[in-house]
Amino acid sequence: NGGWITKAGSCKIGLKPNPFGCAGKIAITGEQEVIERSKKKPKWVVTPPEATKDKMFAVGNVNKSIILDGANTDARMTAVGKIADMAKMEFQRMYERSRVREGLPVDDNDVGWIVDDGIRIVSEVVISGVKEEDYYWVKYKEYQADGSVSYYYDFWDLVSISNDDLTKSVNSTLDKLNNEANKHNNKKAEKLIETMRGHFGVSP
């Protein structure tokens, strides 16, 4: 193993006892050794799956967590955050396509609020549709400069959202925006919101 320095007959590391014994191996500071894993490493850990016609995926990862449950939570939050970012990007694209189609300027105050409020709303709504597909973790020990050993977890979480759930999230967002536009009798915004429905391929 290239990560070890073998020094037969040594009982000390400098002035400290060799924790691996007189004929043992001296670990390089920062050297890691996996001691447990949840299962065989899935392919998606190395290569995240591409979106299919039915759903899209995201992978969250956290390194050097001391607690397994904490690693799970953090990795899943990271993955869910990526799904939310995808939804926000799609909403912004949908808004821009629709704005151009309606011939509205970038700085139109009557409709500019739609993209700002919509991005915030869709990122909150979409979370409820995210499903966990799989997870994987490893536990390892890491050798420190003072000869001590620390234990950590690396965790990967694979999540997905179906196109149906994404569509529901966008519809819900557009409904909320339309209600706001209606409340202020903003006909220009209402028309743009309906155009956005068509660009996403959803119906009222």
Side-chain angles (χ1 to χ4, degrees), residues 129-191:
V130 177
K131 305 289 191 304
E132 185 178 63
E133 295 275 342
D134 198 7
Y135 65 86
Y136 171 73
W137 56 263
V138 295
K139 181 179 181 180
Y140 57 93
K141 54 186 177 181
E142 181 176 289
Y143 300 94
Q144 309 302 319
D146 62 359
S148 65
V149 178
S150 297
Y151 294 86
Y152 300 108
Y153 292 94
D154 286 353
F155 202 106
W156 292 260
D157 202 59
L158 174 66
V159 302
S160 70
I161 186 169
S162 69
N163 289 344
D164 286 345
D165 283 327
L166 179 58
T167 298
K168 290 177 183 176
S169 298
V170 172
N171 255 330
S172 177
T173 300
L174 293 176
D175 287 342
K176 292 176 185 296
L177 294 171
N178 193 65
N179 289 339
E180 189 67 20
N182 184 263
K183 185 190 305 181
H184 292 88
N185 195 31
N186 189 337
K187 299 299 181 183
K188 188 189 294 186
E190 289 183 54
K191 189 172 186 299

Side-chain angles (χ1 to χ4, degrees), residues 3 26 44 53 68 70 75 98 100 116-117 152-153 169 184 189 203:
I26 302 172
W44 58 261
K53 64 178 182 179
L68 181 58
S98 301
V100 171
D116 296 328
D117 288 9
Y152 300 108
Y153 292 94
S169 298
H184 292 88
S203 58

Side-chain angles (χ1 to χ4, degrees), residues 5-156:
I5 300 176
T6 303
K7 193 173 183 180
S10 174
C11 293
K12 292 185 177 181
I13 302 177
L15 299 176
K16 298 180 180 180
N18 180 354
F20 299 97
C22 294
K25 297 177 178 178
I26 302 172
I28 298 174
T29 300
E31 178 69 20
Q32 298 174 349
E33 180 183 343
V34 173
I35 57 177
E36 187 179 357
R37 63 184 74 234
S38 58
K39 58 185 174 183
K40 182 180 178 181
K41 181 188 288 187
K43 291 182 179 179
W44 58 261
V45 171
V46 178
T47 307
E50 296 183 359
T52 68
K53 64 178 182 179
D54 298 318
K55 63 177 67 174
M56 60 183 186
F57 303 88
V59 176
N61 169 231
V62 63
N63 298 317
K64 298 191 76 169
S65 178
I66 298 174
I67 303 173
L68 181 58
D69 286 346
N72 184 2
T73 300
D74 291 345
R76 190 171 194 282
M77 288 179 62
T78 299
V80 170
K82 290 181 179 180
I83 293 288
D85 286 342
M86 292 178 193
K88 289 190 288 187
M89 289 177 62
E90 178 55 35
F91 189 91
Q92 185 160 8
R93 283 195 295 264
M94 182 172 61
Y95 169 83
E96 290 298 335
R97 288 195 298 265
S98 301
R99 181 188 61 75
V100 171
R101 180 176 177 179
E102 292 294 319
L104 299 172
V106 176
D107 58 351
D108 193 314
N109 293 329
D110 289 329
V111 300
W113 61 274
I114 292 176
V115 67
D116 296 328
D117 288 9
I119 285 175
R120 174 181 55 79
I121 295 170
V122 77
S123 66
E124 296 170 354
V125 174
V126 76
I127 291 174
S128 63
V130 177
K131 305 289 191 304
E132 185 178 63
E133 295 275 342
D134 198 7
Y135 65 86
Y136 171 73
W137 56 263
V138 295
K139 181 179 181 180
Y140 57 93
K141 54 186 177 181
E142 181 176 289
Y143 300 94
Q144 309 302 319
D146 62 359
S148 65
V149 178
S150 297
Y151 294 86
Y152 300 108
Y153 292 94
D154 286 353
F155 202 106
W156 292 260

